[in-house]
Amino acid sequence: MANTAVVVDESSANPWGGGVAPMKASYGKLMMWFFLLSDAFTFSALLITYGMIRYSHPAYEGAISDFAFSQEYWPIPEMVFEAVPFLHGVHAPLVFVGIMTFILILSSVTMVLAVEAGHRMDRKGVEKWMLWTIIGGITFLGCQAWEWSHFIHGADMSKNVGSNLIQGANLSINQYGPSNFAALFFFITGFHGFHVFSGVVINFIIFYQATVGILERRGHYEMVEKVGLYWHFVDLVWVFVFTFFYLV
Amino acid sequence: MEQENTQVQVIPADKAKIRKIWRVALILAVVTAVEFLIAFTVGAGAFRTWVFILLTIVKAFYIVAEFMHLGHEKKSLIWSILLPMMFVVFLIFILMYQGAALLEVLY
């Protein structure tokens, strides 16, 4: 075989022998998919850990209207996350986190539109939609910064634990419930927020490359597609965090 | 090989394609709104939790299949991403079981 010149028939060629894209996806896209798969494992592990730890604590039993924060049982998320900026003292359960969810979904949509524009070699379109995506990402990060700050500094409903007045949260104790509650909040939303942050940075780099014409000279906008995959994944993770951390 | 294209041909947008993108966006928004509604109308319990999980999977399907385009890739690629997620399903069951056991021991 080694010294015979063969005319390789494309259809029967070994897809793993090189020269062709196995699974009809380019190397970069395929590797992005496998990276996202491994990242999905990490996030699954975090969320399942949340489920396990929550399940190993007693749940609050009683009417929602009588609910009070206690270290004895796991808090009801909608009683913890009920603040909205500029509306101090207004009980608006899950409203702010709902707004954040819509912002992230919208920025995912603008990312699809950027990829679509890239397929058509429409540089102006790529620039416009990438910019909207970046703005959406930054807005989401700003919202999360506010939420963290509010969570750390605490709600008006302070709680006496032993002789100490507890307000807000840190890694060892918090006013909302068992210490694991705050620890998991910081870990899961923090890890997701860091993904959003790196997504914004990567999006900006590709936006810059599109703007100065690097991608156009390259002849294709596949980089937009690859960072698009990452960005959608970040949105996907948020969908799960929203359900399992805030709704259930 | 980088080619110097001074005249890049921009292909005009396909209206149907763009409409489809916005339709998926609408579905995601509506499902989120429904989840929101359920959070305040249906009492907490196993039923509500399962509804939430189901709706989340619906949303995940649209994001992965349409936005990430996985639904239009080769079958081998689809399966090589989906099958490993079985480990996650396994982990869910084993850790939920563990959580219940811990609750019994601790409280």
Side-chain angles (χ1 to χ4, degrees):
Chain A
M1 277 295 273
N3 43 19
T4 357
V6 250
V7 179
V8 181
D9 175 17
E10 275 289 337
S11 58
S12 65
N14 174 11
W16 302 102
V20 273
M23 299 172 177
K24 283 247 164 51
S26 72
Y27 177 80
K29 248 161 84 176
L30 208 55
M31 290 308 122
M32 179 54 92
W33 268 112
F34 290 137
F35 162 68
L36 293 181
L37 183 63
S38 72
D39 222 14
F41 282 152
T42 312
F43 274 110
S44 308
L46 283 174
L47 279 173
I48 296 169
T49 304
Y50 173 84
M52 187 202 116
I53 293 180
R54 179 175 181 169
Y55 209 26
S56 66
H57 282 82
Y60 171 73
E61 280 165 33
I64 276 203
S65 48
D66 304 328
F67 179 82
F69 293 141
S70 163
Q71 257 69 15
E72 302 298 312
Y73 46 77
W74 203 260
I76 299 174
E78 64 182 68
M79 301 305 279
V80 178
F81 306 102
E82 43 102 64
V84 177
F86 311 117
L87 294 174
H88 184 79
V90 177
H91 177 67
L94 302 181
V95 167
F96 191 53
V97 74
I99 294 169
M100 285 165 71
T101 305
F102 277 111
I103 290 170
L104 209 55
I105 288 178
L106 265 183
S107 85
S108 218
V109 177
T110 56
M111 187 79 232
V112 191
L113 291 168
V115 172
E116 193 271 336
H119 282 153
R120 297 186 286 105
M121 296 300 291
D122 180 359
R123 179 164 149 188
K124 283 260 151 32
V126 172
E127 285 169 17
K128 178 175 81 177
W129 292 118
M130 283 296 281
L131 193 61
W132 277 114
T133 309
I134 293 166
I135 290 172
I138 291 173
T139 313
F140 181 87
L141 282 175
C143 292
Q144 210 169 30
W146 186 88
E147 183 158 273
W148 268 53
S149 154
H150 185 267
F151 189 82
I152 291 169
H153 292 120
D156 294 335
M157 229 198 294
S158 303
K159 187 77 204 156
N160 279 303
V161 176
S163 55
N164 303 319
L165 181 76
I166 303 292
Q167 187 166 24
N170 56 43
L171 282 174
S172 54
I173 199 159
N174 67 82
Q175 70 173 84
Y176 311 105
S179 72
N180 273 333
F181 175 71
L184 284 161
F185 173 80
F186 290 131
F187 212 121
I188 294 175
T189 65
F191 199 57
H192 175 264
F194 186 69
H195 273 74
V196 179
F197 172 73
S198 46
V200 168
V201 171
I202 297 166
N203 279 347
F204 184 79
I205 293 168
I206 301 306
F207 167 72
Y208 173 79
Q209 291 192 336
T211 319
V212 296
I214 293 177
L215 300 180
E216 191 169 274
R217 259 172 280 141
R218 196 176 284 170
H220 58 79
Y221 282 84
E222 205 189 83
M223 278 317 284
V224 178
E225 243 174 282
K226 280 180 240 170
V227 297
L229 282 178
Y230 183 73
W231 190 252
H232 296 314
F233 176 76
V234 168
D235 180 33
L236 177 71
V237 169
W238 182 255
V239 163
F240 282 89
V241 172
F242 178 65
T243 300
F244 293 112
F245 210 99
Y246 294 94
L247 286 180
V248 171
Chain B
M1 276 290 175
E2 295 213 348
Q3 276 184 329
E4 200 59 61
N5 293 332
T6 38
Q7 220 65 42
V8 177
Q9 208 61 44
V10 177
I11 305 158
D14 180 359
K15 284 266 190 310
K17 228 172 166 178
I18 304 241
R19 212 174 302 127
K20 200 177 170 204
I21 293 171
W22 283 105
R23 211 190 62 204
V24 175
L26 190 72
I27 292 172
L28 291 176
V30 167
V31 173
T32 307
V34 168
E35 280 182 332
F36 214 75
L37 209 71
I38 291 173
F40 298 111
T41 49
V42 181
F47 172 71
R48 194 179 80 164
T49 306
W50 279 109
V51 172
F52 278 147
I53 291 172
L54 203 77
L55 290 177
T56 305
I57 291 172
V58 169
K59 282 205 284 188
F61 169 79
Y62 277 107
I63 291 174
V64 175
E66 295 299 330
F67 282 3
M68 298 173 90
H69 213 257
L70 189 63
H72 309 282
E73 303 285 359
K74 275 256 185 182
K75 267 222 171 66
S76 53
L77 179 52
I78 296 175
W79 285 112
S80 50
I81 299 301
L82 286 187
L83 277 183
M85 293 312 278
M86 288 210 315
F87 291 111
V88 169
V89 177
F90 168 73
L91 193 65
I92 290 172
F93 282 109
I94 207 143
L95 280 195
M96 289 305 114
Y97 190 72
Q98 188 71 17
L102 271 176
L103 178 69
E104 243 171 72
V105 172
L106 295 175
Y107 297 95

